Amino acid sequence: MAMAARLRWAAALLLVPALSVILSKSITSRRPLPPLPPVVVVPGYASNELDARLTALYRPSSSPRCAARRGQGWFRLFLNSTDLEDRAGVRCFAEQMASPYDAASDDYRNTPGVETRVPFFGSTQGFRYPDPDRPNFSYMAKFLSRLERLGYRDGETLFGAPYDFRYAVAPPGHPSAVGDAFFACLQTLVETASRLNGGAPVTVVAHSFGATLAHQFLIRRPLRWRRRFVRRFVPVAAPWGGVVLGMYTLVAGNSLGLPFVDPAALKAEYRSLQSSLWPLPSPAVFGAGQPLVTTRSKAYTAGDMAGFLEDIGMGEAVGPYETRVLPLFGGELPSPRVPVACVVGVGVDTPELLEYPGDGFDAAPRMVMGDGDGLVNLASLVAVDVAWRRHPADRFSMVKVRNVSHTGLLVDDRALDVIIRAILRPN
């Protein structure tokens, strides 16, 4: 009996810690949770809706069918999968999406007679599903859903900053009407998000091209403004120094990630865009001696982009590249001087050398692989790592998630855990 009593007493003692934990959790659950830091999301390239309308000035050059919507108001230009699954629809899309450089104004402009707008600015609605009829083409939805499960609410603590991804911004001294207007709207959005949340500073989360755009936005705001309104900058898969595949898409075209679109059908449209020059490899990151593209008789490095553009038939882009792109990315990128938490994918085969078998670019190249996230090369992903750590008070960090691709970072649960921890972590 004495032994049985001792066992009962030992069992009771074992229950004490468990009861303590239960009581502690019960007491803790009654305490109000700390407020969620407001978040502004800047999506990646071709991740948000883009509307258009055709005025009387629009004159289609490819098919009279392209003018069918003329005078009928706004319609969804991107993403409309139904139109893009039709060959004639692709031709109309390419013509209406073009935004060629105008040397007289030193800026990029829409095709005459085509007006565009970005719907749902301030909300995540425009990039949760870029084509509302085909939600399976989205890679942002899971990330947004994870935030909502934490208590985030669109328009209250969660805000979206979609943009016209055909455009970008230019260095000081060069006009960029669309890019400058976006930055003005983004500043107002950040300030509004802060005001709606009791003056709390905002966490800016940006993916891919959106991260380089958000970085340009931050470094162009006064330092006092940044430190007042920006709690943390979380760039995900940012191509700080461009990507080798940026050269390939200028040669072959860009399908915008849509498996049913022939990249060649969009080549002329893609070449016309200001944003198509931003992904070109930076000599500051890739060096001036490392071949990135070779033909039988020539080798092109990041320091020879002008020669490359000339040889692929884009001589008209040399001027805009040298005056509007190279000054932004040709040297060391300045720190935004706010806390930064970079999240990148590594361990995925990524093209780092394109070898064309002949003297031209007609045949498909052999791709030599290196490390990266499948799209962005490792050297570009980590290009700011050393320089931005020079300001220890700004609290820079970089997390590499192995075997996760460029868009997979916003789908993979491991990567999402890292991003969400970066958002919620106290400064």
Side-chain angles (χ1 to χ4, degrees):
M1 292 295 292
M3 178 61 72
R6 282 197 297 271
L7 289 173
R8 285 195 297 271
W9 175 246
L13 287 176
L14 288 173
L15 284 174
V16 170
L19 288 171
S20 299
V21 171
I22 292 170
L23 289 172
S24 174
K25 287 184 177 179
S26 176
I27 293 169
T28 303
S29 66
R30 296 193 191 103
R31 297 173 185 165
L33 294 173
L36 293 168
V39 169
V40 170
V41 180
V42 184
Y45 188 86
S47 296
N48 58 266
E49 291 186 40
L50 182 64
D51 289 347
R53 68 180 174 188
L54 308 180
T55 72
L57 296 176
Y58 178 63
R59 296 290 183 270
S61 60
S62 58
S63 167
R65 169 183 169 176
C66 297
R69 293 188 172 108
R70 186 167 52 199
Q72 295 185 8
W74 293 101
F75 63 94
R76 191 186 336 123
L77 179 60
F78 185 89
L79 174 61
N80 188 329
S81 304
T82 301
D83 282 355
L84 289 173
E85 286 179 336
D86 176 73
R87 183 171 298 180
V90 170
R91 288 197 297 269
C92 298
F93 170 83
E95 184 174 286
Q96 293 162 11
M97 280 284 286
S99 59
Y101 176 69
D102 176 41
S105 63
D106 185 28
D107 205 353
Y108 288 77
R109 302 190 182 280
N110 283 350
T111 299
V114 179
E115 297 179 352
T116 52
R117 70 179 184 186
V118 178
F120 310 114
F121 185 83
S123 168
T124 61
Q125 182 178 345
F127 53 83
R128 182 185 289 268
Y129 302 112
D131 184 348
D133 301 326
R134 302 276 184 94
N136 56 312
F137 288 127
S138 172
Y139 66 87
M140 298 291 292
K142 186 173 181 179
F143 168 59
L144 298 174
S145 296
R146 286 282 299 267
L147 290 177
E148 289 168 345
R149 287 205 298 271
L150 291 171
Y152 278 95
R153 294 295 176 264
D154 194 59
E156 297 176 9
T157 48
L158 178 62
F159 305 85
Y163 53 91
D164 191 331
F165 49 85
R166 301 172 303 157
Y167 293 88
V169 291
H174 295 271
S176 180
V178 174
D180 291 344
F182 169 67
F183 278 6
C185 291
L186 181 54
Q187 177 170 332
T188 300
L189 178 62
V190 170
E191 293 170 356
T192 301
S194 174
R195 177 176 53 80
L196 292 175
N197 288 272
V202 172
T203 296
V204 178
V205 183
H207 180 249
S208 190
F209 179 81
T212 55
L213 203 56
H215 170 254
Q216 287 293 322
F217 166 76
L218 290 173
I219 63 175
R220 296 175 192 221
R221 305 304 106 180
L223 182 58
R224 178 177 294 183
W225 184 92
R226 282 176 260 167
R227 292 186 169 171
R228 161 65 182 86
F229 287 105
V230 180
R231 175 179 177 272
R232 179 173 291 121
F233 178 35
V234 184
V236 179
W240 303 117
V243 300
V244 173
L245 279 175
M247 301 173 76
Y248 177 72
T249 52
L250 289 178
V251 173
N254 189 341
S255 69
L256 301 173
L258 305 174
F260 45 79
V261 175
D262 179 8
L266 299 182
K267 181 165 73 172
E269 175 268 334
Y270 183 70
R271 286 183 168 194
S272 78
L273 309 182
Q274 180 183 10
S275 57
S276 69
L277 300 178
W278 270 38
L280 289 176
S282 161
V285 173
F286 289 88
Q290 176 184 347
L292 305 177
V293 172
T294 62
T295 64
R296 187 161 51 196
S297 57
K298 296 189 73 171
Y300 303 90
T301 71
D304 189 28
M305 283 301 144
F308 172 75
L309 291 171
E310 290 276 6
D311 289 350
I312 65 172
M314 286 187 65
E316 74 285 351
V318 172
Y321 168 75
E322 292 183 336
T323 60
R324 299 172 64 91
V325 178
L326 196 57
L328 299 179
F329 301 103
E332 183 178 285
L333 296 182
S335 166
R337 301 304 307 276
V338 297
V340 177
C342 287
V343 182
V344 302
V346 298
V348 181
D349 281 346
T350 307
E352 62 180 20
L353 173 63
L354 310 176
E355 296 179 332
Y356 286 88
D359 286 327
F361 301 91
D362 295 330
R366 172 179 173 265
M367 295 188 179
V368 179
M369 298 298 180
D371 199 354
D373 66 11
L375 173 63
V376 185
N377 306 90
L378 180 62
S380 182
L381 291 168
V382 303
V384 300
D385 195 350
V386 174
W388 290 10
R389 290 184 190 274
R390 294 178 189 150
H391 306 281
D394 294 339
R395 302 182 181 229
F396 175 87
S397 67
M398 176 173 288
V399 178
K400 300 171 185 174
V401 187
R402 291 205 61 80
N403 303 323
V404 178
S405 70
H406 188 72
T407 55
L409 286 166
L410 293 175
V411 178
D412 181 87
D413 286 322
R414 292 178 300 135
L416 287 174
D417 288 343
V418 171
I419 295 169
I420 288 171
R421 281 199 301 271
I423 292 172
L424 299 179
R425 188 173 70 236
N427 278 351

